[in-house]
Amino acid sequence: MKTNYLLPILFIAHLIFTSQQVLAQQEITVLDSTVDGTIKFAWVKNLDTKSLIPEESKAFLNRVLKTGKGNGFYLYKVETDELGMIHEKYQQTFNGIKVEFSEFIVHKDKSGSIVSINGDFARIPESFNLKT
């Protein structure tokens, strides 16, 4: 009698696991990445991000880039183009120190929804020692 429930339970577990993977894949479409898989350019889709404030955009970057401890970003410039698109430029930091040549741009439409991201992210291990 208990084996009759095993197949439906396994099927439901499979559906839950598969749907979580699909939802993660639907959030962004990576169009360019480095050899180690670090995103360089991605379209953002199926994400309700209307009027995100810069702190939420920064959290989004940290999540999709999987930045890790010590890595972060600070907003240094916001531009609006002639089409009304908003471009937030973020500088990468490690333990509060600027990482040269490592920045990411969050592109938003007129309503403030993120449509794409691009840039260069330097993957720095948490064990990296800044002291000399």
Side-chain angles (χ1 to χ4, degrees):
M1 179 92 42
K2 289 184 181 181
T3 56
N4 292 345
Y5 295 108
L6 183 59
L7 188 58
I9 290 171
L10 288 174
F11 179 72
I12 291 170
H14 174 71
L15 281 177
I16 291 169
F17 179 73
T18 305
S19 66
Q20 287 176 345
Q21 285 182 327
V22 169
L23 288 175
Q25 291 171 353
Q26 286 180 345
E27 186 175 38
I28 62 171
T29 301
V30 177
L31 299 175
D32 189 17
S33 62
T34 62
V35 175
D36 70 356
T38 303
I39 298 170
K40 292 185 71 61
F41 178 72
W43 289 110
V44 179
K45 57 182 181 174
N46 297 336
L47 183 65
D48 186 20
T49 58
K50 299 244 185 287
S51 300
L52 279 183
I53 60 172
E55 285 302 313
E56 292 167 327
S57 297
K58 188 165 47 170
F60 175 77
L61 276 180
N62 285 322
R63 187 175 75 248
V64 297
L65 294 174
K66 300 176 182 124
T67 57
K69 188 176 180 182
N71 289 287
F73 293 96
Y74 68 84
L75 178 66
Y76 73 91
K77 191 174 195 179
V78 178
E79 298 175 336
T80 302
D81 65 21
E82 58 277 350
L83 299 174
M85 296 280 294
I86 302 161
H87 310 280
E88 297 175 348
K89 296 184 178 190
Y90 291 88
Q91 174 64 51
Q92 181 184 351
T93 61
F94 181 73
N95 289 339
I97 299 171
K98 177 182 175 180
V99 178
E100 196 67 40
F101 308 112
S102 296
E103 70 173 23
F104 245 83
I105 305 170
V106 175
H107 306 278
K108 297 179 176 182
D109 63 16
K110 290 179 184 180
S111 70
S113 293
I114 299 173
V115 290
S116 66
I117 57 172
N118 73 289
D120 292 303
F121 175 72
R123 196 156 302 283
I124 302 171
E126 294 174 25
S127 61
F128 184 76
N129 187 358
L130 293 173
K131 297 177 184 173
T132 56

